[in-house]
């Protein structure tokens, strides 16, 4: 197949899933065109058979806001006309589902070509941004017109069906996936030493530090560790909530226990050195970071919201507290870390749980669904049969 995969290049789960899927499809022999306005951060330019197309964003002085969606649409039209792309797979609806739909209109009208459209909804495109009045109607219209819609969790599929009036049967749940070779438990005394935690526990949070991640709860939860639990809090990633989180750490007297590492490519090294992972988001459609942590044998402490209960088995591979109860995050973390037998059992269960989301089987589900589209068949038939 000839597939265009469109994504945001920024530090975040949708870009990771899109890039790793594009690379996997290319390894399976498909011609894949990865399209974005910057090189996605997990993209490996040395991999053969994958073509990266950077969309030129018009900077004419008349435009205070460059019309990126139009440049992207034009690029997709070109890819179909010149490279014979058969299916456009958008990751994160806004503005990709709109651009793909416009490109198809142009191609049908001008050339009589029928490119297929697939869209993977990722989270805030549905739960936050797409619901904004200024986006809602166009988002609803264009997602309703995709030939294939997928969501990483049953929870997000349900939210989409309810808020965007899409028949829930039409939204197929294909979970996020993890490279179990890269993300695996490994002894990491050296990294622990470098974190100043040779004889302390390591609690880690990874995100793009946006309000939905509730990073202040990560810090207050950490500050609520009960007496005797000696730990450092490692923060990986960057975004608007980082500074307020550091200020809160200062106020709560735990600033010296923070290790602020910024954005990292070799995230697995930090996860392998971690004892617990904190992810108390307001609503996480899936929580790819929680999956990568579990693959490294790191139990997850978070809130029982969104799709996280589909990824973390409460009480076995981590603990999910009632939403907003940051005190619970700290006390549960102290309980787990204070009980080496329970902690070791959770570590093993976390790895086993992550094995349900291995890269290759998930990749095959996407591949079969896209193949159906291109052959004019209904992807629902193969997706219904495939294992959950
Ligand atoms: O940051 C991104 O790339 C998108 C982001 C979002 O804001 O929607 O992440 C989402 O997509 C990931 C991959 O499917 C999921 O694992 C994350 O849970 C999800 N984030 C949220 O729902 C907040």
């Amino acid at each position: 197949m000839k597939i265009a995969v469109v994504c945001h290049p920024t530090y975040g789960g949708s870009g990771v899933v899109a890039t790793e899927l594009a690379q996997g499809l290319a390894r399976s022999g498909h011609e894949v065109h990865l399209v974005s306005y910057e090189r996605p951060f997990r993209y490996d330019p040395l991999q053969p058979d994958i073509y990266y197309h950077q969309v030129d964003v018009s900077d004419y002085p008349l435009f205070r806001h460059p019309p990126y969606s139009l440049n992207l649409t034009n690029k997709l039209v070109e890819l179909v006309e010149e490279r014979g792309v058969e299916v456009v797979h958008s990751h994160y609806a806004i503005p990709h589902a709109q651009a793909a739909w416009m490109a198809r209109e142009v191609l049908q009208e001008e050339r009589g070509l029928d490119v297929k459209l697939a869209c993977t909804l990722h989270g805030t495109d549905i739960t936050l941004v797409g619901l904004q009045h200024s986006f809602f109607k166009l988002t609803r219209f264009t997602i309703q017109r995709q030939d294939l819609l997928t969501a990483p969790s049953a929870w997000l599929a349900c939210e989409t069906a309810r808020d965007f009036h899409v028949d829930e049967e039409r939204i197929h749940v294909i979970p996020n996936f993890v490279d179990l070779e890269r993300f695996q438990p490994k002894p990491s005394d050296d990294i622990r030493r470098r974190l100043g935690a040779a004889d302390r526990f390591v609690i880690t949070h990874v995100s793009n530090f946006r309000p939905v991640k509730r990073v202040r709860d990560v810090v207050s939860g950490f500050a609520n560790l009960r007496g005797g639990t000696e730990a450092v809090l490692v923060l990986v990633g960057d975004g608007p909530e980082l500074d307020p989180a550091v200020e809160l750490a200062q106020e709560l007297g735990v600033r010296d226990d923070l290790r602020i590492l910024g954005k990292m490519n070799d995230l697995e090294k930090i996860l392998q050195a971690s004892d617990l992972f904190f992810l108390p988001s307001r609503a996480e459609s899936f929580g790819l970071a929680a999956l990568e942590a579990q693959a490294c044998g790191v139990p997850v402490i978070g809130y029982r919201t969104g799709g996280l209960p589909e990824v973390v088995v409460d009480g076995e591979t981590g603990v999910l507290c009632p939403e907003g109860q940051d005190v619970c995050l700290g006390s549960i973390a102290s309980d787990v870390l204070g009980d080496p037998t329970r902690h070791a059992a959770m570590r093993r269960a976390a790895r086993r749980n992550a094995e349900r989301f291995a890269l290759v089987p998930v990749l095959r589900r996407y591949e079969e669904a896209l193949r159906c589209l291109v052959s004019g068949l209904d992807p629902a038939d193969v997706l219904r049969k495939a294992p959950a």
Side-chain angles (χ1 to χ4, degrees):
M1 286 182 282
K2 294 188 178 182
I3 309 160
V5 174
V6 189
C7 71
H8 290 289
T10 38
Y11 203 74
S14 65
V16 170
V17 168
T19 306
E20 294 187 349
L21 175 64
Q23 294 182 155
L25 289 167
R27 277 196 302 275
S28 303
H30 302 288
E31 183 178 309
V32 181
H33 299 268
L34 183 62
V35 185
S36 197
Y37 58 85
E38 256 171 38
R39 181 181 286 179
F41 79 100
R42 280 215 191 153
Y43 168 59
D44 171 9
L46 296 178
Q47 181 175 333
D49 304 324
I50 182 161
Y51 302 87
Y52 168 58
H53 302 268
Q54 185 149 318
V55 178
D56 291 326
V57 182
S58 173
D59 63 353
Y60 190 64
L62 187 67
F63 303 137
R64 192 184 297 163
H65 306 289
Y68 169 65
S69 314
L70 303 184
N71 302 122
L72 172 61
T73 303
N74 206 67
K75 172 61 73 184
L76 295 175
V77 170
E78 251 174 50
L79 285 174
V80 175
E81 287 183 340
E82 294 168 16
R83 310 296 284 265
V85 160
E86 297 159 286
V87 54
V88 175
H89 188 174
S90 302
H91 285 263
Y92 201 90
I94 301 169
H96 307 141
Q98 294 78 44
W101 177 79
M102 284 196 287
R104 180 167 71 183
E105 290 294 297
V106 172
L107 289 157
Q108 270 173 351
E109 176 86 15
E110 275 206 331
R111 308 284 292 259
L113 291 171
D114 182 29
V115 64
K116 299 295 179 192
L117 306 186
C119 180
T120 293
L121 309 164
H122 279 277
T124 54
D125 44 355
I126 293 303
T127 56
L128 277 177
V129 188
L131 285 179
Q132 285 172 16
H133 184 71
S134 58
F135 279 121
F136 179 71
K137 285 189 177 175
L138 185 60
T139 307
R140 183 180 61 186
F141 178 88
T142 46
I143 65 177
Q144 285 174 347
R145 277 153 188 80
Q146 303 291 307
D147 301 302
L148 171 69
L149 281 174
T150 79
S153 60
W155 175 80
L156 189 67
C158 182
E159 295 285 297
T160 309
R162 188 193 64 207
D163 293 340
F164 290 84
H165 313 137
V166 181
D167 183 354
E168 202 172 336
E169 292 256 296
R170 283 201 53 218
I171 309 164
H172 301 287
V173 177
I174 305 187
N176 289 175
F177 51 83
V178 63
D179 178 344
L180 291 164
E181 285 296 307
R182 175 175 172 186
F183 291 88
Q184 59 170 294
K186 234 184 208 168
S188 52
D189 291 347
D190 176 42
I191 304 275
R192 293 177 85 98
R193 253 195 313 278
R194 287 202 259 158
L195 291 170
D199 48 8
R200 298 167 81 182
F201 293 112
V202 175
I203 298 179
T204 297
H205 170 77
V206 180
S207 78
N208 41 26
F209 289 77
R210 284 178 294 156
V212 69
K213 301 289 175 182
R214 283 205 163 131
V215 188
R216 291 168 56 90
D217 287 26
V218 170
V219 170
S220 54
F222 176 77
N224 273 310
L225 287 174
R226 282 202 310 261
T229 313
E230 291 287 331
V232 299
L233 177 62
V234 177
L235 299 176
V236 181
D238 200 358
E241 289 297 302
L242 180 58
D243 287 347
V246 175
E247 276 166 34
L248 180 65
Q250 187 75 44
E251 276 168 38
L252 298 176
V254 294
R255 173 65 186 89
D256 290 346
D257 301 322
L258 298 194
R259 306 290 183 264
I260 301 167
L261 305 188
K263 295 178 186 166
M264 291 184 69
N265 274 334
D266 41 4
L267 178 59
E268 64 278 14
K269 295 204 173 112
I270 292 302
L271 292 175
Q272 285 158 350
S274 303
D275 297 294
L276 286 180
F277 189 83
F278 271 10
L279 193 64
S281 303
R282 190 172 67 74
E284 198 67 54
S285 79
F286 183 91
L288 178 61
L291 173 58
E292 292 177 338
Q294 290 176 93
C296 293
V298 184
V300 176
I301 312 281
Y303 291 149
R304 201 175 303 113
T305 55
L308 202 58
E310 296 175 48
V311 184
V312 176
V313 185
D314 193 9
E316 282 180 37
T317 74
V319 178
L320 299 177
C321 298
E323 186 180 358
Q325 298 207 3
D326 53 345
V327 176
C328 170
L329 301 173
S331 61
I332 291 287
S334 292
D335 286 352
V336 172
L337 294 173
D339 181 345
T341 311
R342 182 178 177 204
H343 186 221
M346 271 196 172
R347 275 186 173 286
R348 288 192 298 274
R351 171 67 190 185
R352 273 199 309 278
N353 185 41
E355 288 167 1
R356 294 193 293 135
F357 303 96
L359 188 152
V360 171
V362 177
L363 180 81
R364 293 287 164 257
R365 297 193 71 197
Y366 276 116
E367 189 181 20
E368 284 174 26
L370 296 176
R371 203 192 300 283
C372 276
L373 274 191
V374 167
S375 332
L377 302 170
D378 183 358
D381 294 337
V382 294
L383 289 171
R384 264 191 224 110
K385 269 185 248 143

